Amino acid sequence: MLLSVIIISFNGEKYIGQAISSCLCLAGADHEIIVVDNGSTDGSLDLIRSIAAGCGSPFRIIENHENKGPGEARNIGLAHVSGEYCMFLDGDDWLEPEAIPRIVACLQEWKPDVLMFNHQQVWPDGRKIPNVPNRYVDLGDRWADLTDPAVRKGAIRNLHVPWNKAYRMGFVRDHGLLFPCQTYYEDMVWSIRATVEAAAFYYIPDVLHNYRRHPQSSLHTTHDGHFNIIRECRRVEALLKDHADYRQWYGTKLYGYMRSTLFGVINTGSRIPKAREGDYLKEVSVLLKDFRRMLGLRGPDILSLVAATGDSRMYSAVSGWAVRVNRLKGRMYKLRNRVLK
């Protein structure tokens, strides 16, 4: 068995059929499907069973009697993998028809530790927005060997999620890759470690994964769990402290990624409870200061300085200005690409 596709399902009766079907009926694709049902209370588990009964592909269902969170559910799926490689699919997302054959062919040809592919965001109004290229990440429109760190650092500011990659299981086991048992931001350190620790790393620009954007996502809830992003960034800091080579090649890029992610959490205005916004800002400011010291970065960071006050109103005013500047940069990037084409 070459590839194991791990699908995580929780109360996804509306979407799970599409997710599973996007992995089925693929002639010649050497793969299996593992569905981990995370304690669903709707009709999704019955639907999964009915699909499995009429499926010609190797298919396993793992039933958790309670919702263990996405991280632990993925760990459980990993423990049942038979394939030489694994990849992940959330139960409300789906793959393009050519995804599995394309991934299998690339794994057979290159035998990488990690293969990264492109995805697109799919919005409720039907908009489809490819993730790469963007003004942070532009790897071109052809496959790329990113094994050399000097080349790979161009991908470091890509979205750090587990489902835009396939992983060699020997690599996963050798590096002890596991997800933390939490609901929020459980996937960031996994993806960053896989990206920087892989010996052989390849990228294909094909849009193979559809990432469904909808307001029911846990990321749109107001909850103290969003403070987890600070804890996960501390884990990235520890990783860089322990590995001078990672720090040299990827440190500045990872700092930029984490800074935008940390501030992005509060910029939504809906994730951090209002009473805790000051605490969040202060913790973020301390974290970024420690990072800058570790990396030897100089020069002021206006947002971080304002965040240190814990004054959420002042921060909101300054960040609003920064958002407008970033939007202008984004428009300039798109305009430049149009002119160059």
Side-chain angles (χ1 to χ4, degrees):
M1 183 71 63
L2 181 68
L3 178 64
S4 298
V5 183
I6 301 171
I7 303 175
I8 306 302
S9 173
F10 173 67
N11 285 350
E13 184 177 8
K14 184 177 179 181
Y15 304 118
I16 189 63
Q18 183 180 21
I20 297 173
S21 296
S22 70
C23 304
L24 293 177
C25 303
L26 300 162
D30 185 11
H31 76 296
E32 67 175 349
I33 298 169
I34 301 172
V35 178
V36 181
D37 183 77
N38 224 1
S40 293
T41 56
D42 63 358
S44 54
L45 184 55
D46 289 337
L47 178 58
I48 294 167
R49 289 171 178 154
S50 68
I51 295 173
C55 171
S57 303
F59 199 120
R60 274 186 283 176
I61 304 172
I62 302 167
E63 299 178 27
N64 294 336
H65 296 298
E66 59 181 358
N67 187 349
K68 296 180 179 293
E72 182 60 15
R74 292 191 189 110
N75 291 338
I76 291 170
L78 284 169
H80 290 80
V81 163
S82 299
E84 183 182 350
Y85 286 85
C86 73
M87 58 182 285
F88 301 99
L89 180 65
D90 289 347
D92 54 353
D93 296 341
W94 73 100
L95 301 176
E96 287 292 297
E98 72 276 13
I100 299 294
R102 179 76 170 113
I103 290 168
V104 165
C106 291
L107 296 177
Q108 290 172 332
E109 180 178 358
W110 298 324
K111 298 178 174 55
D113 288 334
V114 175
L115 173 70
M116 184 171 73
F117 42 85
N118 203 2
H119 72 275
Q120 63 187 357
Q121 300 180 38
V122 182
W123 293 82
D125 61 7
R127 284 178 297 147
K128 295 181 178 181
I129 304 175
N131 181 59
V132 175
N134 57 54
R135 65 190 179 90
Y136 296 119
V137 183
D138 188 351
L139 296 172
D141 58 1
R142 302 185 64 185
W143 72 270
D145 181 351
L146 305 184
T147 298
D148 184 345
V151 181
R152 192 184 312 186
K153 65 182 180 181
I156 284 296
R157 289 201 66 175
N158 194 24
L159 183 63
H160 283 291
V161 290
W163 39 254
N164 62 354
K165 306 174 187 73
Y167 312 85
R168 186 173 62 82
M169 284 302 299
F171 165 74
V172 169
R173 296 183 182 111
D174 289 346
H175 288 262
L177 289 178
L178 288 172
F179 294 90
C181 300
Q182 60 194 41
T183 300
Y184 299 90
Y185 312 102
E186 80 293 336
D187 49 8
M188 187 178 77
V189 175
W190 163 287
S191 183
I192 288 175
R193 284 191 59 197
T195 300
V196 302
E197 293 180 351
F201 191 103
Y202 284 76
Y203 164 76
I204 53 175
D206 310 48
V207 175
L208 301 180
H209 184 283
N210 293 286
Y211 171 43
R212 192 187 306 273
R213 299 297 301 261
H214 53 77
Q216 291 79 25
S217 168
S218 63
L219 289 180
H220 293 277
T221 61
T222 302
H223 197 278
D224 277 350
H226 291 288
F227 276 75
N228 283 348
I229 186 63
I230 298 175
R231 181 184 306 116
E232 295 308 293
C233 286
R234 284 293 183 188
R235 291 178 63 198
V236 176
E237 178 191 22
L239 178 69
L240 294 179
K241 280 183 177 178
D242 290 342
H243 297 276
D245 52 342
Y246 299 167
R247 201 161 61 241
Q248 172 190 354
W249 289 112
Y250 311 118
T252 303
K253 293 283 189 179
L254 282 174
Y255 172 81
Y257 172 82
M258 286 183 294
R259 180 185 180 278
S260 61
T261 302
L262 287 161
F263 285 133
V265 167
I266 194 167
N267 287 349
T268 65
S270 61
R271 298 184 191 180
I272 304 297
K274 291 296 182 183
R276 300 293 313 280
E277 286 184 345
D279 296 333
Y280 180 85
L281 287 169
K282 289 178 180 178
E283 288 191 40
V284 166
S285 178
V286 171
L287 169 63
L288 293 178
K289 183 178 179 180
D290 290 345
F291 248 97
R292 291 172 67 83
R293 184 186 300 115
M294 176 182 66
L295 298 174
L297 300 179
R298 302 186 180 278
D301 181 339
I302 301 301
L303 276 187
S304 186
L305 291 172
V306 175
T309 68
D311 187 329
S312 59
R313 290 188 177 182
M314 183 188 302
Y315 170 80
S316 180
V318 175
S319 67
W321 167 80
V323 166
R324 289 191 290 274
V325 171
N326 279 333
R327 284 176 180 166
L328 179 60
K329 289 180 179 178
R331 292 191 187 108
M332 293 298 292
Y333 171 83
K334 290 179 181 178
L335 179 61
R336 186 196 64 152
N337 278 357
R338 287 175 188 158
V339 170
L340 292 176
K341 286 181 180 179

